[in-house]
Amino acid sequence: LIKAGNKPPVTSTPGKPKKATTFQEFESITSDAWDVGDDDDELLAMAAQNLNIEVVMETANKVIENHSKQQERRQQQLDEPPGPEEKDGKEEQDKDEEERLEEEETTAELSFSSERFHHSDNRLVKSHSEAPIGSPKEMSGERAALYRQQSLPHRPVIPLVARMADQNTSGTPAMTEREASRLDKFKQLLAGPNTDLEELRKLSWSGIPRQVRPITWKLLSGYLPANAERRASTLQRKRQEYFGFIEQYYDSRNDEHHQDTYRQIHIDIPRTNPLIPLFQQASVQEIFERILFIWAIRHPASGYVQGINDLVTPFFVVYIFEYIEEEVENFDVSSLQEEVLRNIEADSFWCMSKLLDGIQ
Amino acid sequence: MEDYDYLFKIVLIGNAGVGKTCLVRRFTQGLFPPGQGATIGVDFMIKTVEIKGVKVKLQIWDTAGQERFRSITQSYYRSANALILTYDITCEDSFRCLPEWLREIEQYANNQVVTILVGNKIDLAEKREVHRQRAEEFAEAQSMLYLETSAKESDNVEKLFLDLACVLIREAKQNTLDNNDSAPMPGEGKNINYLSCCNIN
């Protein structure tokens, strides 16, 4: 897999002290190395045939790139012990990569529910404070495991805002040119009076910057109209409609003909993301129960099917992100305004419904 | 060359949330996942055990309990050598559904299949809703073996699968003798003597 060209171009003379920026320099020198499609038949053959070829290429290239970066880093560490500044730089890099993986896991949950068995042991969103910044050996092991699981487009860019919000650290490196330009592309698309959904979908394939993710999901799922002017009223109407359903139907959960449905949902709620504190909160579990019950009785031909509970999760998490800066895993939803939480609930319901409509 | 003497297919069935997946994971991986999500459709794991020098490969199929998935899980009954019908001793409901499961078995499984009734979650003794005697009587009336387990505490889990393997080996050997056939075809034998070699219960 590793070709000669992948070897890091930096040759260091042992004993000669390195500048703190060496790694960044290396990164910027090689950042365009993988932009051009490079054929790696083996990886392509392994990839699902119906995946977008560009996406497959990008993923494959990114994996190779990361691998060679790790090699480079290991080589550097072998050559000489890093200075304190340089070490910081590496950790930043580690954090970035950790984060990308987290982001991908979230997306993967959404699109590949059939892979849930593989994901079930990995928490949906890792808290950053807990992310291991251990020895390179451990790191590469964990990464390798994650890479094997992921089958979705790699997301090479995380905007600054997301990074800060996710990590709560100061002094994060400035947004790269690529990151900034990607975010700009999204913002431009979203700013117009009518969003070009095809263009937005295309752009989203390689990842949606966190700060535009909620609106992008709502648009691409068909929940919100492409016409910007109509969005606010649509949101208001849909949210009202959802809570109308609750008022009208939720009491019927104890009726005899709905008992089986409600019982099954009730069994599954505590085992939905059981290792993440966010989902252990009573108010969150109640939200999931309402969303699932209403969906089930409004779709009698399907009813509640185990696994639908897991489809609510990504929407719920992304729509919470819209309102908070801190990590979501241990977030206490009672610190949100009631109105906000209701909006998140209604939006999650409708987007999950849209997703399932597409399957049926 | 395959590295086993016998291959047996075991399918777990029973209501949602009774602990089928936890039993399988306890046996195959030695762990009790604190939060085990619902099984979607069907999953399977393999474990090879050695019983009195005989290598037995157990192919364990874990099914979704929700009724909605029956059409999928039914198709896995037919080639099963053994069925583990599981209920939750702290959930009367899961016990009362057993006749329904037996109808499924009758309809879809091979009529030579070995069926064992398992009452899981005995670690929650204080919440018990189904008395042991009642379950034993039910199992006996339906010609099933019976065992109570705790996937959490690892009680009787190993025994469950090893005893089943013993019964299946017996059955396969019997079958070989009867047919004077050198290649045993597990699951296609004749009636099984339920007095197993491993002294169940």
Side-chain angles (χ1 to χ4, degrees):
Chain A
L1 263 179
I2 303 295
K3 296 174 182 170
N6 294 346
K7 295 251 168 69
V10 181
T11 48
S12 64
T13 321
K16 189 181 169 187
K18 264 197 193 74
K19 282 183 203 159
T21 54
T22 304
F23 186 75
Q24 277 83 358
E25 273 172 15
F26 166 63
E27 194 183 25
S28 65
I29 290 166
T30 56
S31 63
D32 60 346
W34 307 99
D35 287 348
V36 185
D38 182 9
D39 62 352
D40 192 320
D41 296 330
E42 210 180 325
L43 268 173
L44 276 177
M46 279 155 57
Q49 288 173 348
N50 53 0
L51 272 181
N52 181 320
I53 191 132
E54 278 175 40
V55 173
V56 173
M57 290 314 295
E58 199 174 343
T59 308
N61 289 335
K62 205 68 198 178
V63 171
I64 294 169
E65 184 187 12
N66 272 317
H67 184 79
S68 58
K69 275 183 194 168
Q70 283 173 36
Q71 295 280 67
E72 156 75 359
R73 217 175 301 152
R74 221 167 289 154
Q75 191 55 45
Q76 282 182 6
Q77 285 178 348
L78 284 177
D79 286 352
E80 60 201 80
E85 281 177 71
E86 191 183 8
K87 193 163 166 262
D88 284 352
K90 282 173 192 167
E91 288 188 358
E92 288 303 353
Q93 187 61 30
D94 285 345
K95 283 179 187 172
D96 289 355
E97 289 180 14
E98 279 292 313
E99 242 184 276
R100 285 176 205 154
L101 292 169
E102 288 161 27
E103 299 261 340
E104 283 151 11
E105 271 192 81
T106 314
T107 325
E109 284 276 344
L110 169 65
S111 308
F112 289 89
S113 59
S114 63
E115 292 188 358
R116 58 176 297 285
F117 294 116
H118 306 290
H119 285 277
S120 59
D121 286 337
N122 295 293
R123 289 167 300 170
L124 182 62
V125 180
K126 276 198 223 150
S127 110
H128 206 275
S129 55
E130 283 173 35
I133 305 183
S135 70
K137 201 179 159 195
E138 286 165 16
M139 297 290 289
S140 65
E142 180 170 271
R143 274 190 210 135
L146 286 165
Y147 276 130
R148 274 196 299 278
Q149 289 175 6
Q150 76 190 41
S151 50
L152 262 200
H154 207 287
R155 185 187 316 255
V157 181
I158 306 295
L160 180 62
V161 172
R163 196 186 287 147
M164 287 176 73
D166 281 346
Q167 287 182 27
N168 247 346
T169 52
S170 53
T172 26
M175 202 191 298
T176 69
E177 228 170 273
R178 274 181 79 184
E179 286 171 339
S181 95
R182 274 187 61 78
L183 182 56
D184 272 355
K185 277 187 202 161
F186 272 94
K187 284 187 163 168
Q188 268 174 28
L189 262 177
L190 295 166
N194 275 298
T195 304
D196 182 342
L197 294 182
E198 273 324 297
E199 202 51 42
L200 184 63
R201 181 164 284 126
K202 231 165 93 187
L203 195 56
S204 297
W205 263 110
S206 43
I208 307 166
R210 178 175 156 164
Q211 67 189 104
V212 290
R213 196 175 302 148
I215 177 74
T216 305
W217 280 29
K218 285 173 191 171
L219 284 165
L220 292 183
S221 66
Y223 175 41
L224 283 186
N227 183 312
E229 261 179 31
R230 286 172 42 216
R231 282 176 206 159
S233 60
T234 303
L235 274 179
Q236 201 190 359
R237 183 166 46 82
K238 288 303 222 179
R239 287 166 178 171
Q240 269 174 9
E241 196 181 342
Y242 171 73
F243 283 101
F245 295 154
I246 299 283
E247 221 165 280
Q248 198 177 345
Y249 302 118
Y250 196 56
D251 283 341
S252 74
R253 66 188 182 279
N254 294 315
D255 291 1
E256 208 179 328
H257 59 293
H258 286 150
Q259 242 180 26
D260 281 349
T261 298
Y262 186 67
R263 192 183 299 134
Q264 187 64 60
I265 291 171
H266 205 73
I267 290 175
D268 286 352
I269 295 291
R271 43 182 189 159
T272 303
N273 313 306
L275 300 177
I276 303 174
L278 171 71
F279 298 96
Q280 307 317 307
Q281 295 165 47
S283 52
V284 173
Q285 298 197 343
E286 284 160 16
I287 287 173
F288 271 63
E289 272 188 14
R290 284 193 291 268
I291 290 176
L292 293 171
F293 181 74
I294 295 299
W295 188 89
I297 62 166
R298 282 178 47 83
H299 296 80
S302 160
Y304 172 71
V305 181
Q306 287 186 320
I308 295 182
N309 54 334
D310 293 323
L311 300 180
V312 183
T313 303
F315 293 110
F316 187 72
V317 166
V318 166
Y319 298 152
I320 282 187
F321 271 156
E322 201 170 357
Y323 298 96
I324 70 169
E325 300 259 294
E326 59 265 52
E327 51 133 354
V328 74
E329 194 176 62
N330 295 302
F331 181 68
D332 178 4
V333 291
S334 65
S335 61
L336 286 174
Q337 285 176 358
E338 200 183 323
E339 176 73 17
V340 164
L341 201 54
R342 281 166 66 89
N343 292 346
I344 293 170
E345 176 176 345
D347 294 352
S348 300
F349 170 81
W350 285 115
C351 288
M352 184 271 279
S353 301
K354 290 287 184 186
L355 177 71
L356 286 176
D357 287 349
I359 295 169
Q360 284 175 343
Chain B
M1 270 299 280
E2 295 281 12
D3 193 24
Y4 57 80
D5 302 305
Y6 291 103
L7 169 66
F8 295 124
K9 184 170 158 187
I10 298 173
V11 179
L12 281 95
I13 53 176
N15 274 20
V18 299
K20 296 180 291 297
T21 304
C22 289
L23 283 170
V24 176
R25 294 194 68 178
R26 169 59 80 189
F27 178 63
T28 57
Q29 300 171 327
L31 36 96
F32 180 75
Q36 178 62 53
T39 303
I40 311 300
V42 177
D43 196 5
F44 86 95
M45 294 201 186
I46 283 181
K47 182 158 173 164
T48 305
V49 295
E50 202 173 310
I51 297 166
K52 294 174 190 162
V54 181
K55 280 192 180 139
V56 183
K57 189 169 179 179
L58 299 176
Q59 194 183 73
I60 304 165
W61 292 80
D62 180 22
T63 64
Q66 197 194 354
E67 188 158 1
R68 183 59 211 246
F69 290 97
R70 294 288 151 86
S71 55
I72 299 172
T73 55
Q74 279 159 357
S75 54
Y76 290 83
Y77 290 21
R78 190 166 305 283
S79 52
N81 302 106
L83 295 173
I84 299 178
L85 176 52
T86 316
Y87 75 97
D88 172 359
I89 63 149
T90 71
C91 176
E92 170 79 26
D93 236 32
S94 70
F95 186 77
R96 261 190 277 156
C97 282
L98 292 177
E100 196 185 309
W101 284 106
L102 290 173
R103 275 195 296 278
E104 291 258 309
I105 293 172
E106 191 160 336
Q107 190 172 356
Y108 298 102
N110 184 311
N111 57 3
Q112 310 301 336
V113 75
V114 177
T115 309
I116 181 165
L117 180 64
V118 169
N120 190 34
K121 306 196 187 177
I122 53 170
D123 50 288
L124 301 173
E126 73 284 1
K127 289 187 186 166
R128 183 188 276 270
E129 288 182 2
V130 182
H131 283 291
R132 188 192 172 102
Q133 199 190 342
R134 189 173 150 214
E136 271 172 351
E137 282 166 9
F138 178 80
E140 205 183 327
Q142 304 292 333
S143 319
M144 288 187 286
L145 307 167
Y146 182 68
L147 197 61
E148 294 199 339
T149 60
S150 164
K152 188 178 182 187
E153 304 294 337
S154 204
D155 284 343
N156 276 346
V157 176
E158 194 98 332
K159 180 175 165 58
L160 163 65
F161 288 95
L162 295 184
D163 283 0
L164 262 185
C166 284
V167 174
L168 291 170
I169 291 170
R170 262 181 78 101
E171 181 198 2
K173 281 184 177 162
Q174 182 91 32
N175 197 32
T176 314
L177 282 177
D178 289 352
N179 296 331
N180 200 15
D181 189 345
S182 59
M185 296 292 285
E188 293 178 3
K190 37 184 283 174
N191 283 334
I192 312 126
N193 183 348
Y194 284 115
L195 295 170
S196 90
C197 60
C198 298
N199 187 23
I200 290 178
N201 286 331

mmCIF file of all heavy atoms in Angstrom, chain A residues 40-60 112 150-153:
data_model
loop_
_atom_site.group_PDB
_atom_site.id
_atom_site.type_symbol
_atom_site.label_atom_id
_atom_site.label_comp_id
_atom_site.label_asym_id
_atom_site.label_seq_id
_atom_site.Cartn_x
_atom_site.Cartn_y
_atom_site.Cartn_z
ATOM 1 N N ASP A 40 -5.369 3.624 -6.469
ATOM 2 C CA ASP A 40 -4.949 2.544 -5.598
ATOM 3 C C ASP A 40 -5.998 1.462 -5.745
ATOM 4 O O ASP A 40 -7.010 1.450 -5.065
ATOM 5 C CB ASP A 40 -4.857 3.036 -4.159
ATOM 6 C CG ASP A 40 -4.146 2.021 -3.285
ATOM 7 O OD1 ASP A 40 -4.393 0.811 -3.476
ATOM 8 O OD2 ASP A 40 -3.376 2.427 -2.427
ATOM 9 N N ASP A 41 -5.762 0.588 -6.663
ATOM 10 C CA ASP A 41 -6.796 -0.372 -7.058
ATOM 11 C C ASP A 41 -7.252 -1.250 -5.915
ATOM 12 O O ASP A 41 -8.421 -1.582 -5.785
ATOM 13 C CB ASP A 41 -6.286 -1.258 -8.202
ATOM 14 C CG ASP A 41 -6.030 -0.420 -9.448
ATOM 15 O OD1 ASP A 41 -6.751 0.586 -9.593
ATOM 16 O OD2 ASP A 41 -5.146 -0.764 -10.230
ATOM 17 N N GLU A 42 -6.297 -1.600 -5.073
ATOM 18 C CA GLU A 42 -6.633 -2.506 -3.983
ATOM 19 C C GLU A 42 -7.706 -1.908 -3.084
ATOM 20 O O GLU A 42 -8.705 -2.535 -2.775
ATOM 21 C CB GLU A 42 -5.367 -2.758 -3.163
ATOM 22 C CG GLU A 42 -5.338 -4.109 -2.521
ATOM 23 C CD GLU A 42 -4.067 -4.281 -1.725
ATOM 24 O OE1 GLU A 42 -3.024 -3.759 -2.173
ATOM 25 O OE2 GLU A 42 -4.134 -4.902 -0.675
ATOM 26 N N LEU A 43 -7.463 -0.648 -2.704
ATOM 27 C CA LEU A 43 -8.420 0.019 -1.837
ATOM 28 C C LEU A 43 -9.760 0.209 -2.540
ATOM 29 O O LEU A 43 -10.825 0.054 -1.958
ATOM 30 C CB LEU A 43 -7.880 1.378 -1.406
ATOM 31 C CG LEU A 43 -7.108 1.373 -0.105
ATOM 32 C CD1 LEU A 43 -6.468 2.719 0.139
ATOM 33 C CD2 LEU A 43 -8.072 1.032 1.035
ATOM 34 N N LEU A 44 -9.661 0.555 -3.812
ATOM 35 C CA LEU A 44 -10.893 0.785 -4.554
ATOM 36 C C LEU A 44 -11.732 -0.474 -4.649
ATOM 37 O O LEU A 44 -12.951 -0.439 -4.531
ATOM 38 C CB LEU A 44 -10.561 1.272 -5.967
ATOM 39 C CG LEU A 44 -10.302 2.766 -6.068
ATOM 40 C CD1 LEU A 44 -9.914 3.134 -7.489
ATOM 41 C CD2 LEU A 44 -11.546 3.530 -5.643
ATOM 42 N N ALA A 45 -11.048 -1.587 -4.840
ATOM 43 C CA ALA A 45 -11.768 -2.839 -4.953
ATOM 44 C C ALA A 45 -12.469 -3.177 -3.657
ATOM 45 O O ALA A 45 -13.561 -3.746 -3.638
ATOM 46 C CB ALA A 45 -10.799 -3.958 -5.342
ATOM 47 N N MET A 46 -11.812 -2.801 -2.561
ATOM 48 C CA MET A 46 -12.408 -3.079 -1.268
ATOM 49 C C MET A 46 -13.629 -2.201 -1.011
ATOM 50 O O MET A 46 -14.555 -2.589 -0.316
ATOM 51 C CB MET A 46 -11.378 -2.850 -0.159
ATOM 52 C CG MET A 46 -10.422 -4.012 0.019
ATOM 53 S SD MET A 46 -8.875 -3.466 0.754
ATOM 54 C CE MET A 46 -9.471 -2.721 2.236
ATOM 55 N N ALA A 47 -13.582 -1.014 -1.554
ATOM 56 C CA ALA A 47 -14.679 -0.071 -1.280
ATOM 57 C C ALA A 47 -15.956 -0.527 -1.972
ATOM 58 O O ALA A 47 -15.929 -1.212 -2.992
ATOM 59 C CB ALA A 47 -14.285 1.316 -1.764
ATOM 60 N N ALA A 48 -17.059 -0.121 -1.409
ATOM 61 C CA ALA A 48 -18.336 -0.471 -2.025
ATOM 62 C C ALA A 48 -18.404 0.134 -3.416
ATOM 63 O O ALA A 48 -18.008 1.276 -3.617
ATOM 64 C CB ALA A 48 -19.467 0.054 -1.176
ATOM 65 N N GLN A 49 -18.906 -0.658 -4.355
ATOM 66 C CA GLN A 49 -18.846 -0.219 -5.736
ATOM 67 C C GLN A 49 -19.766 0.955 -6.009
ATOM 68 O O GLN A 49 -19.521 1.750 -6.895
ATOM 69 C CB GLN A 49 -19.204 -1.373 -6.656
ATOM 70 C CG GLN A 49 -18.092 -2.418 -6.698
ATOM 71 C CD GLN A 49 -18.512 -3.615 -7.472
ATOM 72 O OE1 GLN A 49 -19.679 -3.763 -7.791
ATOM 73 N NE2 GLN A 49 -17.567 -4.480 -7.771
ATOM 74 N N ASN A 50 -20.821 1.035 -5.249
ATOM 75 C CA ASN A 50 -21.771 2.094 -5.555
ATOM 76 C C ASN A 50 -21.441 3.403 -4.848
ATOM 77 O O ASN A 50 -22.189 4.351 -4.907
ATOM 78 C CB ASN A 50 -23.193 1.659 -5.226
ATOM 79 C CG ASN A 50 -23.300 1.163 -3.824
ATOM 80 O OD1 ASN A 50 -22.305 1.153 -3.096
ATOM 81 N ND2 ASN A 50 -24.489 0.774 -3.411
ATOM 82 N N LEU A 51 -20.307 3.459 -4.172
ATOM 83 C CA LEU A 51 -19.917 4.723 -3.551
ATOM 84 C C LEU A 51 -19.390 5.662 -4.626
ATOM 85 O O LEU A 51 -18.806 5.232 -5.618
ATOM 86 C CB LEU A 51 -18.828 4.483 -2.507
ATOM 87 C CG LEU A 51 -19.293 4.160 -1.089
ATOM 88 C CD1 LEU A 51 -18.087 3.984 -0.199
ATOM 89 C CD2 LEU A 51 -20.191 5.254 -0.562
ATOM 90 N N ASN A 52 -19.589 6.899 -4.377
ATOM 91 C CA ASN A 52 -19.049 7.910 -5.250
ATOM 92 C C ASN A 52 -17.529 7.747 -5.344
ATOM 93 O O ASN A 52 -16.843 7.696 -4.337
ATOM 94 C CB ASN A 52 -19.405 9.271 -4.647
ATOM 95 C CG ASN A 52 -18.904 10.406 -5.487
ATOM 96 O OD1 ASN A 52 -17.799 10.352 -6.025
ATOM 97 N ND2 ASN A 52 -19.711 11.423 -5.614
ATOM 98 N N ILE A 53 -17.026 7.700 -6.526
ATOM 99 C CA ILE A 53 -15.605 7.388 -6.697
ATOM 100 C C ILE A 53 -14.706 8.441 -6.072
ATOM 101 O O ILE A 53 -13.700 8.132 -5.449
ATOM 102 C CB ILE A 53 -15.275 7.194 -8.197
ATOM 103 C CG1 ILE A 53 -13.857 6.613 -8.338
ATOM 104 C CG2 ILE A 53 -15.351 8.479 -8.965
ATOM 105 C CD1 ILE A 53 -13.786 5.447 -9.260
ATOM 106 N N GLU A 54 -15.118 9.689 -6.181
ATOM 107 C CA GLU A 54 -14.304 10.747 -5.580
ATOM 108 C C GLU A 54 -14.204 10.561 -4.077
ATOM 109 O O GLU A 54 -13.157 10.762 -3.467
ATOM 110 C CB GLU A 54 -14.927 12.117 -5.854
ATOM 111 C CG GLU A 54 -14.592 12.669 -7.227
ATOM 112 C CD GLU A 54 -15.357 13.953 -7.451
ATOM 113 O OE1 GLU A 54 -15.468 14.740 -6.506
ATOM 114 O OE2 GLU A 54 -15.835 14.149 -8.586
ATOM 115 N N VAL A 55 -15.336 10.190 -3.504
ATOM 116 C CA VAL A 55 -15.372 10.012 -2.067
ATOM 117 C C VAL A 55 -14.474 8.861 -1.649
ATOM 118 O O VAL A 55 -13.699 8.947 -0.702
ATOM 119 C CB VAL A 55 -16.819 9.729 -1.624
ATOM 120 C CG1 VAL A 55 -16.845 9.380 -0.148
ATOM 121 C CG2 VAL A 55 -17.696 10.931 -1.906
ATOM 122 N N VAL A 56 -14.552 7.797 -2.412
ATOM 123 C CA VAL A 56 -13.714 6.642 -2.111
ATOM 124 C C VAL A 56 -12.251 7.027 -2.183
ATOM 125 O O VAL A 56 -11.454 6.709 -1.311
ATOM 126 C CB VAL A 56 -14.018 5.496 -3.098
ATOM 127 C CG1 VAL A 56 -13.039 4.351 -2.913
ATOM 128 C CG2 VAL A 56 -15.445 5.011 -2.898
ATOM 129 N N MET A 57 -11.916 7.754 -3.248
ATOM 130 C CA MET A 57 -10.526 8.176 -3.422
ATOM 131 C C MET A 57 -10.092 9.023 -2.236
ATOM 132 O O MET A 57 -9.003 8.861 -1.699
ATOM 133 C CB MET A 57 -10.383 9.027 -4.693
ATOM 134 C CG MET A 57 -10.554 8.271 -5.984
ATOM 135 S SD MET A 57 -9.679 6.735 -6.057
ATOM 136 C CE MET A 57 -8.022 7.297 -5.980
ATOM 137 N N GLU A 58 -10.937 9.926 -1.872
ATOM 138 C CA GLU A 58 -10.559 10.844 -0.802
ATOM 139 C C GLU A 58 -10.325 10.077 0.486
ATOM 140 O O GLU A 58 -9.365 10.310 1.212
ATOM 141 C CB GLU A 58 -11.641 11.910 -0.604
ATOM 142 C CG GLU A 58 -11.093 13.110 0.136
ATOM 143 C CD GLU A 58 -12.106 14.243 0.208
ATOM 144 O OE1 GLU A 58 -13.076 14.228 -0.560
ATOM 145 O OE2 GLU A 58 -11.909 15.116 1.057
ATOM 146 N N THR A 59 -11.233 9.137 0.773
ATOM 147 C CA THR A 59 -11.074 8.349 1.989
ATOM 148 C C THR A 59 -9.780 7.560 1.960
ATOM 149 O O THR A 59 -8.990 7.592 2.898
ATOM 150 C CB THR A 59 -12.246 7.353 2.117
ATOM 151 O OG1 THR A 59 -13.458 8.076 1.982
ATOM 152 C CG2 THR A 59 -12.214 6.659 3.460
ATOM 153 N N ALA A 60 -9.557 6.880 0.837
ATOM 154 C CA ALA A 60 -8.365 6.051 0.725
ATOM 155 C C ALA A 60 -7.114 6.902 0.874
ATOM 156 O O ALA A 60 -6.201 6.575 1.633
ATOM 157 C CB ALA A 60 -8.357 5.340 -0.629
ATOM 158 N N PHE A 112 -25.528 4.445 7.997
ATOM 159 C CA PHE A 112 -25.334 3.003 7.907
ATOM 160 C C PHE A 112 -25.819 2.336 9.178
ATOM 161 O O PHE A 112 -25.056 1.770 9.927
ATOM 162 C CB PHE A 112 -23.863 2.677 7.673
ATOM 163 C CG PHE A 112 -23.410 3.035 6.303
ATOM 164 C CD1 PHE A 112 -22.912 4.293 6.053
ATOM 165 C CD2 PHE A 112 -23.495 2.132 5.269
ATOM 166 C CE1 PHE A 112 -22.492 4.632 4.785
ATOM 167 C CE2 PHE A 112 -23.083 2.474 4.005
ATOM 168 C CZ PHE A 112 -22.581 3.731 3.759
ATOM 169 N N GLN A 150 -14.934 2.498 9.443
ATOM 170 C CA GLN A 150 -15.615 3.562 8.718
ATOM 171 C C GLN A 150 -15.686 3.246 7.252
ATOM 172 O O GLN A 150 -14.757 2.726 6.657
ATOM 173 C CB GLN A 150 -14.928 4.885 8.958
ATOM 174 C CG GLN A 150 -13.638 5.001 8.178
ATOM 175 C CD GLN A 150 -12.887 6.213 8.642
ATOM 176 O OE1 GLN A 150 -12.831 6.503 9.823
ATOM 177 N NE2 GLN A 150 -12.311 6.908 7.716
ATOM 178 N N SER A 151 -16.832 3.542 6.698
ATOM 179 C CA SER A 151 -16.968 3.282 5.285
ATOM 180 C C SER A 151 -17.527 4.525 4.625
ATOM 181 O O SER A 151 -17.997 4.492 3.525
ATOM 182 C CB SER A 151 -17.882 2.095 5.066
ATOM 183 O OG SER A 151 -19.052 2.272 5.795
ATOM 184 N N LEU A 152 -17.498 5.587 5.335
ATOM 185 C CA LEU A 152 -18.055 6.817 4.805
ATOM 186 C C LEU A 152 -16.946 7.761 4.404
ATOM 187 O O LEU A 152 -15.818 7.637 4.826
ATOM 188 C CB LEU A 152 -18.908 7.485 5.885
ATOM 189 C CG LEU A 152 -20.389 7.222 5.780
ATOM 190 C CD1 LEU A 152 -21.132 8.274 6.544
ATOM 191 C CD2 LEU A 152 -20.864 7.267 4.330
ATOM 192 N N PRO A 153 -17.302 8.710 3.604
ATOM 193 C CA PRO A 153 -16.317 9.686 3.169
ATOM 194 C C PRO A 153 -15.559 10.302 4.328
ATOM 195 O O PRO A 153 -16.134 10.643 5.355
ATOM 196 C CB PRO A 153 -17.162 10.749 2.471
ATOM 197 C CG PRO A 153 -18.568 10.336 2.630
ATOM 198 C CD PRO A 153 -18.588 8.899 2.979
#
